[in-house]
Amino acid sequence: VYRITGDHVLTTDLDYPTCDANGQPTGQFYNRQSGQQQTSGVEVDIKGQIVSGLDVVLNYAFTEAKTTKDSDAKLVGKQVPGSSRHVQNTWLSYRVEKGALAGFGISAGYQYQVGRSPWFISDGSVLDLPDYFRVDGGINYQKDKIGFNLFVNNVLNKYLYSGGYYDWTKFYYWQAEPGTAYRFSVNY
């Protein structure tokens, strides 16, 4: 369980708009360190062995992250940019312990995020980001001191992105994650 208060968060300096070469306001503003954000929540982690060779890691986090002080009063009480209210992860790993396949392992897991806010502070008129669900997996082999790992991110090849709406420029910025990606490693 936690509560974190961040002081001196950057806010829009409404007293000093930026101007173009002709001295006309551009709609953009300088920032000042006058804001405050408060984040509270709870995280639970469970790790254990279900049966011999089969391990599980479960994680859940509830986060209430709000703007508590801002130069723009309509932003007070809004969700902190880039935060997720609920995050849940599960990871299963199995390793063969005996026999001809001893040392061979397989693993799979997912991450699920709900209540995602855009990266940029918003008055709430812009919709939150959609829920996020990603599945990863891998196979590996360990023999004495040498190991081989093949890991696959985004197994379902889902279009996953973060970003938000820039209110002052009236455009959206999205950053997409790669589709299915593979990584092979050797360790010693």
Side-chain angles (χ1 to χ4, degrees):
V1 176
Y2 61 91
R3 173 171 277 173
I4 300 167
T5 301
D7 292 317
H8 309 293
V9 175
L10 287 179
T11 63
T12 302
D13 189 344
L14 298 173
D15 296 330
Y16 295 98
T18 60
C19 297
D20 63 17
N22 297 323
Q24 299 300 312
T26 63
Q28 299 175 10
F29 293 86
Y30 291 101
N31 291 318
R32 63 180 175 204
Q33 294 178 308
S34 63
Q36 184 183 69
Q37 296 173 343
Q38 190 168 78
T39 304
S40 56
V42 61
E43 289 189 30
V44 178
D45 296 301
I46 299 172
K47 181 178 180 180
Q49 188 175 65
I50 299 172
V51 295
S52 182
L54 180 61
D55 296 327
V56 64
V57 176
L58 298 165
N59 168 272
Y60 171 75
F62 170 78
T63 304
E64 182 75 38
K66 297 287 184 186
T67 299
T68 51
K69 187 174 160 186
D70 197 281
S71 58
D72 185 347
K74 68 183 176 188
L75 299 179
V76 173
K78 301 298 180 190
Q79 188 173 348
V80 170
S83 64
S84 297
R85 289 182 57 82
H86 304 276
V87 177
Q88 200 278 311
N89 301 283
T90 298
W91 192 256
L92 292 168
S93 300
Y94 179 74
R95 180 168 309 279
V96 178
E97 296 175 340
K98 299 176 186 172
L101 294 176
F104 174 77
I106 188 166
S107 56
Y110 68 87
Q111 182 180 110
Y112 185 49
Q113 297 181 27
V114 179
R116 298 169 58 210
S117 71
W119 283 354
F120 316 105
I121 195 159
S122 167
D123 62 7
S125 61
V126 177
L127 296 176
D128 287 343
L129 294 171
D131 293 350
Y132 176 104
F133 183 76
R134 187 182 83 200
V135 176
D136 300 324
I139 57 173
N140 57 73
Y141 180 74
Q142 185 77 35
K143 179 71 172 170
D144 298 322
K145 292 184 179 182
I146 192 161
F148 303 92
N149 303 285
L150 175 63
F151 196 75
V152 183
N153 289 104
N154 196 0
V155 171
L156 302 176
N157 199 31
K158 294 194 62 161
Y159 178 66
L160 302 169
Y161 63 91
S162 298
Y165 179 72
Y166 277 106
D167 189 41
W168 51 271
T169 57
K170 309 295 184 225
F171 72 84
Y172 288 88
Y173 171 79
W174 300 122
Q175 181 173 327
E177 292 185 17
T180 301
Y182 303 89
R183 183 179 69 227
F184 179 75
S185 65
V186 177
N187 57 21
Y188 179 78

